[in-house]
Amino acid sequence: MKLRTICVVWALFAAVSTLAAPQAAAPSDPKLVDAQGYQKLVEQYRGKAVLFTFWATWCEPCRDEFPMVNELAKQYAPQGLHVVGINLDQDGDLILMRRFITRYKPVFPNYRKKAGDEDAFVQAVLPGWNGAIPASVFYAKDGRQIGHLLGAGDRATYEAAIRSLLASNDSAAAAR
């Protein structure tokens, strides 16, 4: 009986200690963007080579591709590449999105598409795009959209697109 009492007291102590311990602050949720917000982001990155990547936690190819894009963002940042993520999860998937971001710790900022007005959003991103993901859109320093990858891409495809993007920025600078 004494051992049982000690175990119960110990379990209660452990539970209270866990509840009283300071909890790590949850990272803030990505800011919401709509079609107009996306255009503002593109303008904000004018003067920089930028890759916008569109992803969601429910998209298996996105889950596979995201860590690679994060690695490429680290690798090519010293050469002037900026990466911006746009999450397309619905509000009901916020917990999954938070876990995903916590797990992969992206080195680039992420935003979340505001619910509604899907057609205006996809047309603002890439006219004719049907919204299928993963998708990545590349912008030159002058703000021109110079390429895109729709569907899952491998590392070699991404690296070729990134090198082309960075080279287009170098040749534009040399022409000035």
Side-chain angles (χ1 to χ4, degrees):
M1 186 68 135
K2 209 173 190 184
L3 182 60
R4 186 176 185 181
T5 304
I6 290 171
C7 289
V8 169
V9 169
W10 180 252
L12 286 172
F13 174 75
V16 169
S17 296
T18 301
L19 292 174
Q23 301 296 314
S28 61
D29 286 342
K31 292 180 183 175
L32 294 172
V33 294
D34 55 9
Q36 186 177 18
Y38 177 76
Q39 293 299 339
K40 286 181 183 177
L41 281 173
V42 170
E43 190 57 36
Q44 176 184 328
Y45 282 91
R46 183 179 292 273
K48 300 172 182 170
V50 63
L51 178 168
F52 282 89
T53 185
F54 298 84
W55 63 278
T57 59
W58 49 262
C59 166
E60 188 172 338
C62 299
R63 292 191 310 264
D64 293 341
E65 195 174 87
F66 195 90
M68 176 195 58
V69 171
N70 198 32
E71 289 174 17
L72 292 169
K74 290 177 197 174
Q75 179 182 341
Y76 287 96
Q79 295 163 32
L81 178 69
H82 296 268
V83 176
V84 178
I86 308 283
N87 173 265
L88 302 178
D89 281 315
Q90 301 297 315
D91 289 346
D93 294 324
L94 282 176
I95 291 171
L96 294 173
M97 181 211 55
R98 289 172 185 144
R99 287 180 184 160
F100 188 88
I101 288 175
T102 300
R103 178 179 182 188
Y104 290 108
K105 298 172 183 47
V107 297
F108 51 88
N110 276 271
Y111 296 83
R112 190 165 61 93
K113 186 205 166 293
K114 188 176 182 179
D117 216 357
E118 312 304 322
D119 290 337
F121 186 80
V122 298
Q123 291 308 306
V125 172
L126 183 64
W129 177 40
N130 66 3
I133 54 176
S136 293
V137 181
F138 299 86
Y139 289 87
K141 285 183 179 181
D142 63 5
R144 285 180 305 118
Q145 192 177 103
I146 63 166
H148 58 271
L149 294 173
L150 302 178
D154 61 14
R155 187 177 189 96
T157 302
Y158 265 92
E159 286 195 290
I162 290 167
R163 284 192 300 269
S164 178
L165 170 65
L166 295 172
S168 75
N169 287 320
D170 292 341
S171 61
R176 289 184 189 161

